[in-house]
Amino acid sequence: MSAEPRQAIRTVWVLNGPNLGRLGSREPEIYGHVDEAGLRGLVATWGEAVGVAVRLRQTDDEAQLIEWLHEAADGAVPVILNPAAFTHYSYAVRDAVADLTARGVPLIEVHLSNPASREAFRQVSVISEVASGTIAGFGVDSYRLALVALAGT
Ligand code: DQA
């Protein structure tokens, strides 16, 4: 009997940007009622269903977010990124995302709301052009859809 080598479980990082630590209580009519702990549980469950281990981290700090993106690029770790307000103006986050995707590491930009249907300043994403894809407008389900998409990459 030949033993098949066991496939290493793939890890995906979920990186959430500023103010997303306040999920559940922050403008719930826009961002929903699931808090960060709830989202952490959901992405773990959804990850299991598609065979990936998920690590969720959140920061309000642009430098921290960029450092995590560098780590993901160096470790070839696929990323689901909700850049939050950085979406609309951070060329520094964009450059870090571009560095990662240029190495062939997939990164999906996600949003809970649909920024395209909101204020004018939210209708610009400086990230989308360098992301592998974007999923927006499905509440926390945006993260599930991104996991399904990444599992197929
Ligand atoms: C967001 C949309 C952004 O415009 C906003 O700044 C956020 C959250 C979303 O998930 O819908 O903080 O990225």
Side-chain angles (χ1 to χ4, degrees), residues 18 20 26 31 82-85 87-88 110-113 115 118 122:
L20 292 171
R26 172 192 177 207
Y31 300 115
N82 186 339
T87 306
H88 314 300
V110 299
H111 300 282
L112 295 147
S113 67
R118 298 181 62 195
R122 294 188 204 276

Side-chain angles (χ1 to χ4, degrees), residues 3 6 12 29 43 46 49 55 62 90 114 124-126 145 147:
R6 213 191 260 167
V12 167
E29 63 289 356
V43 293
W46 293 331
R55 176 171 190 194
E62 191 178 26
S90 176
N114 179 7
V124 173
S125 169
V126 301
L145 295 167
L147 276 166

Side-chain angles (χ1 to χ4, degrees), residues 43-68:
V43 293
T45 305
W46 293 331
E48 244 172 68
V50 294
V52 298
V54 183
R55 176 171 190 194
L56 181 148
R57 287 186 284 184
Q58 188 276 328
T59 182
D60 295 332
D61 180 358
E62 191 178 26
Q64 177 64 82
L65 188 57
I66 290 166
E67 192 180 314
W68 289 340

Side-chain angles (χ1 to χ4, degrees), residues 15 19 24-25 68 74 77 136 149-150:
L15 303 180
N19 300 304
S25 64
W68 289 340
D74 292 343
V77 182
L150 273 184

